Amino acid sequence: MVEKILVAVDGSQTMERTVRFACDLVKVMGGSLTLIHVVDVPVMIQPNLPFDSAPLMRAGEVILRTAQKQVEQNGLKADIILEQQGGNSGHKIVEVAGEKGFTLIVMHARGHSKAARILLGSVCHTVAHDASSSVLILRP
Amino acid sequence: MSKLFQRVLVPVDGSRYMSGIVAHAIAIAKKMGCSLTFLYVVNVEPAMSLELEKHKTSSTRIPEECTRKAAAEDVSASSRIEVGSPAETIVEMAVRERFDLIIIIGSRGYSRLKTLFVGSVADEVMEQASCPVLLVK
């Protein structure tokens, strides 16, 4: 049964609901919570261009701490994982889930994709397809 | 805390992957105290409509068998047979009858061919559902 839960958080408006849902899930089903945020770094066309990802990583840290605080307010604990990835951050979520043996990934269908026509964001799509663990896709 | 899920829709296809998802759904229902509805969609091409009744009758045992398994573990469950395009039927039924979770077999990702068969309905459901979807791998 579900034991190790990885919750993808992105700092979007849906994050609070996603975290609250994950907390409720653990209260009912048991298991551990880990929050992951993947910083979307630009893919450089020219490898030599200077790029400093530190500010983005700091922002990512803030997002994770915010979500972690929310988990603690629910009387639970969560580990946090901060990663970076150029392009689709779904690949990194799948990679981490596989390496660390998570059994369930919880994420929102849309996150930052605001356009109503997008039913399933690209990150969610990638995770749903490529993850070898189960995936719970939340909706608004 | 209110219940996370109350009405859970579990589409089943009679394939060899089915027993895994049924066991998973029953385990979830036991912990959450939700009810399960096992749905089998008879996917019939217009040319086959003459055979429809025969097909429907022979298919009823699929969701019924799942319901029996659930009942044996004291989980409230019912079975349904619908006719139509599988993904569309699942998504529409979930909306119409206010299901709050769909549990479906997801593709495993490592095999393109397997994805083609196992994942195509799951794909459409996950894209178009308006309630949460649990892809079980």
Side-chain angles (χ1 to χ4, degrees):
Chain A
M1 235 8 246
V2 170
E3 282 161 2
K4 284 188 77 176
I5 305 174
L6 184 64
V7 186
V9 293
D10 60 358
S12 72
Q13 287 177 332
T14 58
M15 183 172 94
E16 197 190 330
R17 258 178 299 158
T18 305
V19 172
R20 189 173 58 217
F21 194 97
C23 290
D24 287 350
L25 197 66
V26 167
K27 284 179 188 169
V28 178
M29 307 287 289
S32 66
L33 279 181
T34 300
L35 304 161
I36 185 169
H37 177 72
V38 181
V39 170
D40 188 7
V41 293
V43 180
M44 292 299 184
I45 297 165
Q46 281 188 316
N48 299 332
L49 284 175
F51 176 73
D52 180 13
S53 65
L56 289 176
M57 293 301 273
R58 278 197 296 275
E61 181 88 26
V62 172
I63 289 170
L64 279 170
R65 293 289 172 203
T66 307
Q68 191 181 37
K69 209 170 152 192
Q70 193 191 338
V71 172
E72 283 162 3
Q73 282 164 354
N74 274 278
L76 298 167
K77 277 185 184 164
D79 290 333
I80 53 175
I81 297 174
L82 181 62
E83 290 281 352
Q84 56 175 304
Q85 165 91 25
N88 188 327
S89 55
H91 295 300
K92 185 59 82 178
I93 296 172
V94 170
E95 189 187 310
V96 170
E99 275 172 6
K100 301 194 189 264
F102 285 96
T103 51
L104 175 70
I105 301 171
V106 176
M107 63 191 308
H108 198 275
R110 277 207 293 180
H112 279 297
S113 322
K114 291 228 169 50
R117 67 185 163 76
I118 300 174
L119 298 168
L120 198 68
S122 57
V123 176
C124 193
H125 195 273
T126 302
V127 173
H129 262 260
D130 294 352
S132 53
S133 63
S134 294
V135 182
L136 178 60
I137 301 165
L138 303 177
R139 301 275 169 180
Chain B
M1 189 182 66
S2 63
K3 276 188 187 176
L4 273 183
F5 303 117
Q6 299 191 352
R7 288 168 54 72
V8 177
L9 184 61
V10 189
V12 289
D13 60 359
S15 75
R16 62 195 171 93
Y17 302 103
M18 192 176 81
S19 62
I21 199 174
V22 171
H24 207 96
I26 291 173
I28 289 173
K30 274 176 127 173
K31 287 200 177 172
M32 296 211 176
C34 53
S35 72
L36 302 175
T37 300
F38 294 102
L39 167 68
Y40 181 82
V41 184
V42 183
N43 187 8
V44 189
E45 302 295 325
M48 286 168 63
S49 57
L50 286 174
E51 299 280 306
L52 181 59
E53 281 313 310
K54 210 171 88 185
H55 204 98
K56 262 177 97 170
T57 315
S58 65
S59 303
T60 46
R61 58 166 187 84
I62 296 171
E64 276 172 3
E65 190 190 309
C66 303
T67 304
R68 265 197 302 278
K69 275 187 192 163
E73 304 214 31
D74 291 323
V75 167
S76 142
S78 58
S79 57
R80 287 278 292 273
I81 292 264
E82 296 285 335
V83 178
S85 141
E88 220 171 274
T89 307
I90 293 163
V91 168
E92 282 175 13
M93 182 170 158
V95 173
R96 199 174 56 236
E97 304 187 19
R98 295 166 192 255
F99 282 93
D100 41 29
L101 175 70
I102 300 171
I103 301 181
I104 198 160
I105 306 169
S107 56
R108 282 216 172 250
Y110 52 73
S111 155
R112 288 289 156 209
L113 193 64
K114 199 169 149 196
T115 303
L116 204 62
F117 294 111
V118 183
S120 62
V121 172
D123 246 21
E124 270 186 73
V125 170
M126 142 189 120
E127 299 253 352
Q128 288 161 22
S130 49
C131 66
V133 175
L134 174 63
L135 285 172
V136 175
K137 307 243 184 160

